[in-house]
Amino acid sequence: MIIRAFNPSESTTVRDLVTRAFKQPDEADLCDALRDAGDMALELVAEHNKRLIGHVALSRMVSPAGWLALAPLSTDPKMTRRGIGSALCQMAMQYANAPVVVLGDPKYYGRMGFDFERSKRLKTPYPIKFTGLFAPELDEAQPVAMLKYAPAFGE
C-alpha cells in the first residue's frame, strides 16, 4: 500500500470511493464542496495495485483560526479492517502541524491519538461526546474554544 497526495484528476474516483464507503453521497458531496470553496487543507489517498482503496481529508476550520477538521476518512468497503484508515489518519496527523478535531467513534479515533476527554470544554454544533482533539502542542489541558467548521459542513 502506498499513501500519497490526492491528485485533482482523481476527483471522480475518490467521489465513488467515499460514496461506497458511507453507502450514500453526503460525505462525497462534502469533499467536493470543501475543494470548490478552497477549504481543503490536505487530502491523502491510499493506493494498492494502482487502485485507490482509501481517502482522508483535512479541512480548514473557520474557528479557531489555524485548526483543522478531519473528515471524512474512507476505506473501500472490500478492504476494511486492514489498517488502511488508521494509516491514512496517522499520516494526515503527521502533516497537519496544527490542532485537529474529529467527529467520530471515540474507541476508533482514540487509538490514533485523538483525546475525547480533552475536548470536553470545546463548544461545537455536534455532539461533544463524539468530538476528539489531537493537539499535542497545545499547553492547555482542556482548551476552551468555539468550533466553527468550514461552510460546506452546513452547521
Side-chain angles (χ1 to χ4, degrees):
M1 174 177 71
I2 297 168
I3 296 178
R4 60 172 175 76
F6 162 82
N7 184 314
S9 68
E10 299 169 316
S11 295
T12 302
T13 305
V14 166
R15 180 173 180 77
D16 177 62
L17 170 72
V18 174
T19 299
R20 286 185 294 112
F22 286 92
K23 298 180 176 88
Q24 48 95 26
D26 291 357
E27 286 78 6
D29 292 345
L30 173 63
C31 288
D32 291 344
L34 289 166
R35 275 188 223 113
D36 291 346
D39 289 327
M40 198 67 85
L42 175 71
E43 284 183 89
L44 298 174
V45 294
E47 180 183 314
H48 179 68
N49 292 333
K50 298 186 180 186
R51 188 172 69 94
L52 295 188
I53 58 172
H55 172 264
V56 65
L58 288 176
S59 61
R60 292 174 193 87
M61 296 191 65
V62 173
S63 175
W67 285 34
L68 302 171
L70 188 147
L73 173 62
S74 309
T75 302
D76 183 319
K78 296 177 184 174
M79 303 288 288
T80 60
R81 299 192 177 269
R82 298 183 190 190
I84 298 163
S86 296
L88 280 164
C89 187
Q90 292 297 329
M91 185 70 72
M93 303 321 299
Q94 288 178 9
Y95 282 108
N97 199 28
V100 179
V101 294
V102 69
L103 183 67
D105 178 17
K107 285 184 181 179
Y108 181 77
Y109 287 101
R111 293 192 314 252
M112 289 175 250
F114 284 91
D115 190 331
F116 288 78
E117 287 299 316
R118 194 169 177 213
S119 64
K120 295 286 189 197
R121 294 177 64 197
L122 299 174
K123 304 292 183 222
T124 174
Y126 302 111
I128 194 66
K129 71 180 184 176
F130 296 111
T131 301
L133 175 64
F134 180 88
E137 68 283 354
L138 283 182
D139 291 334
E140 299 170 76
Q142 287 189 317
V144 177
M146 173 64 80
L147 300 181
K148 183 162 176 54
Y149 293 78
F153 282 88
E155 299 172 24

